[in-house]
Amino acid sequence: MRRIGLTGGIGSGKSTVAAMLVAEGAVLVDTDAIARRIAQPGGIAMPAVEAAFGSGVIAADGGLDRAAMRQLVFTDSGARKRLESILHPLIGAETERMASDAGPDAVVVFDVPLLVESGRWRALVDRVLVVDATEETQLQRVVARSGWTPEAVRAVIAQQAPRRLRRAAADAVIFNESLSLEELGAQVRSLWKRWAQPGTR
């Protein structure tokens, strides 16, 4: 099995690159999607989340109130660590289950927004691909697509690793600043040809 770690700051275009890699034949394991799934109504994380934080972070449907939790973790680093101590082991177990299900010949792309911040993923993958963009471009993209305020986007960017640290951890960087989709796709395909072949490490 080939294991590629994919990361990038919010608004960098990482999800677009992930979709392009899937189109080339990769099996995608999206840790954000797993995190959302386990925090849905009836999700396996919810009893522990409610026990740790109380009903104030529980939505009416029984799932995680993401806005309330986001506000809490941005203002309380201890809360963020408690949340991570609940979610990360569950996400890790589901990640490995999905990778195992892909089969021994698969090229598995692990989409991990906090790959660099976690400190453990570098040893779990063969290669790290970072999708990069300037902070101003990140800000503009997220505001345009989500309706968040610029202040909310800046708060998320501040919680993520600086661009220089992500780039330093990378085996390859796609600078997705002014690329068309066609140009971005060409870079992804070129990288796929180099990394997806057996014996290339």
Side-chain angles (χ1 to χ4, degrees), residues 28 32 108 117 124 134 151 172:
L28 180 66
D32 255 4
V108 180
E117 294 86 337
L124 301 177
T134 65
E151 292 73 20

Side-chain angles (χ1 to χ4, degrees), residues 26-82:
V27 174
L28 180 66
V29 177
D30 183 339
T31 59
D32 255 4
I34 294 170
R36 288 191 297 271
R37 187 165 67 248
I38 67 176
Q40 288 176 344
I44 59 175
M46 292 313 300
V49 169
E50 185 168 11
F53 298 100
S55 60
V57 298
I58 308 301
D61 62 3
L64 181 66
D65 184 332
R66 297 185 182 281
M69 182 60 77
R70 186 162 51 242
Q71 180 64 30
L72 181 61
V73 300
F74 282 160
T75 58
D76 181 352
S77 61
R80 178 173 56 84
K81 291 177 181 176
R82 291 199 306 276

Side-chain angles (χ1 to χ4, degrees), residues 157-185:
I157 291 173
Q159 292 285 326
Q160 297 182 330
R163 290 175 58 210
R164 61 179 177 79
L165 291 183
R166 278 197 298 270
R167 294 174 69 98
D171 295 293
V173 176
I174 294 178
F175 187 48
N176 185 28
E177 183 64 25
S178 56
L179 299 177
S180 67
L181 281 176
E182 291 75 16
E183 291 168 334
L184 180 61

Side-chain angles (χ1 to χ4, degrees), residues 4-15 18 28-36 84 88 91 95 109-121 125 128-132 138 145 148 156-163 165-167 169:
I4 297 172
L6 172 65
T7 195
I10 186 172
S12 64
K14 175 176 59 61
S15 296
L28 180 66
V29 177
D30 183 339
T31 59
D32 255 4
I34 294 170
R36 288 191 297 271
E84 290 173 350
H88 285 184
I91 293 169
T95 294
V109 172
F110 298 89
D111 182 340
V112 187
L114 300 181
L115 183 148
V116 173
E117 294 86 337
S118 76
R120 70 183 187 91
W121 272 96
V125 295
V128 171
L129 171 60
V130 169
V131 185
D132 187 38
Q138 292 177 260
R145 80 186 183 202
W148 288 13
V156 173
I157 291 173
Q159 292 285 326
Q160 297 182 330
R163 290 175 58 210
L165 291 183
R166 278 197 298 270
R167 294 174 69 98

